[in-house]
Amino acid sequence: MAVSKQVEAPESGGMCPSRLLLEHVTSRWGVLVLIELLDRPHRFSELRRVISRFGRGVSEKMLTQTLQTLERDGLVHRDAKPVIPPRVDYSLTDLGREAAEQVRGLAAWTHERMADVEKARQAYHEARDIQSRAS
């Protein structure tokens, strides 16, 4: 991806807009939100519970920030129903579905190739140990 000109945006601290979007989509919680919303819309508490099954749970604050960021980027739709108690459903936009499909492919690849990555890490550390002992 060639970027001809870096455009400064106040919230990005001068970061290229496409790089900032990539950061949002591939963030720790962004990936999980996008993948989970591929299946169907979720309410906030349901989404939090489902995402938390992948390890350490996501805080309410962090999930709120992630959803707001993805909504601002046009990837997530927030549907607030005027009922008591309030009901808010989150779903993917068409743009969000495209991004989520890409992210899911990357997540599947990492799962499928993790054994090879572990072997490479082990070989790296063994080579470093041999090198440091020789020094």
Side-chain angles (χ1 to χ4, degrees), residues 19-67:
R19 185 171 172 189
L20 185 61
L21 176 60
L22 183 62
E23 190 174 292
H24 296 165
V25 169
T26 60
S27 71
R28 177 180 186 178
W29 304 116
V31 167
L32 297 176
V33 165
L34 290 170
I35 290 172
E36 283 305 318
L37 290 178
L38 262 173
D39 294 332
R40 63 181 179 79
H42 288 283
R43 293 178 74 175
F44 183 89
S45 58
E46 179 184 31
L47 189 57
R48 185 172 178 212
R49 191 171 40 257
V50 171
I51 288 174
S52 293
R53 75 174 189 236
F54 290 104
R56 203 172 101 218
V58 59
S59 70
E60 190 171 313
K61 179 182 177 183
M62 196 68 239
L63 182 56
T64 298
Q65 288 176 349
T66 300
L67 287 165

Side-chain angles (χ1 to χ4, degrees), residues 3 7 18 21 33 41 55 66 78 123 125:
V3 178
V7 179
S18 60
L21 176 60
V33 165
T66 300
R78 181 181 186 272
H125 288 297

Side-chain angles (χ1 to χ4, degrees), residues 13-131:
M15 188 182 287
C16 173
S18 60
R19 185 171 172 189
L20 185 61
L21 176 60
L22 183 62
E23 190 174 292
H24 296 165
V25 169
T26 60
S27 71
R28 177 180 186 178
W29 304 116
V31 167
L32 297 176
V33 165
L34 290 170
I35 290 172
E36 283 305 318
L37 290 178
L38 262 173
D39 294 332
R40 63 181 179 79
H42 288 283
R43 293 178 74 175
F44 183 89
S45 58
E46 179 184 31
L47 189 57
R48 185 172 178 212
R49 191 171 40 257
V50 171
I51 288 174
S52 293
R53 75 174 189 236
F54 290 104
R56 203 172 101 218
V58 59
S59 70
E60 190 171 313
K61 179 182 177 183
M62 196 68 239
L63 182 56
T64 298
Q65 288 176 349
T66 300
L67 287 165
Q68 286 174 346
T69 297
L70 295 174
E71 182 182 7
R72 186 184 68 228
D73 289 341
L75 306 177
V76 168
H77 174 72
R78 181 181 186 272
D79 183 21
K81 309 247 192 283
V83 296
I84 298 179
R87 179 183 172 109
V88 180
D89 292 307
Y90 294 91
S91 60
L92 293 175
T93 63
D94 290 340
L95 190 60
R97 185 160 294 286
E98 277 184 60
E101 291 287 351
Q102 297 297 320
V103 169
R104 183 168 61 182
L106 180 59
W109 178 85
T110 60
H111 181 73
E112 292 165 8
R113 301 300 294 204
M114 198 60 217
D116 296 320
V117 170
E118 288 297 334
K119 286 179 193 171
R121 288 176 178 171
Q122 184 177 354
Y124 173 84
H125 288 297
E126 287 171 1
R128 298 283 294 204
D129 288 346
I130 291 169
Q131 186 180 24

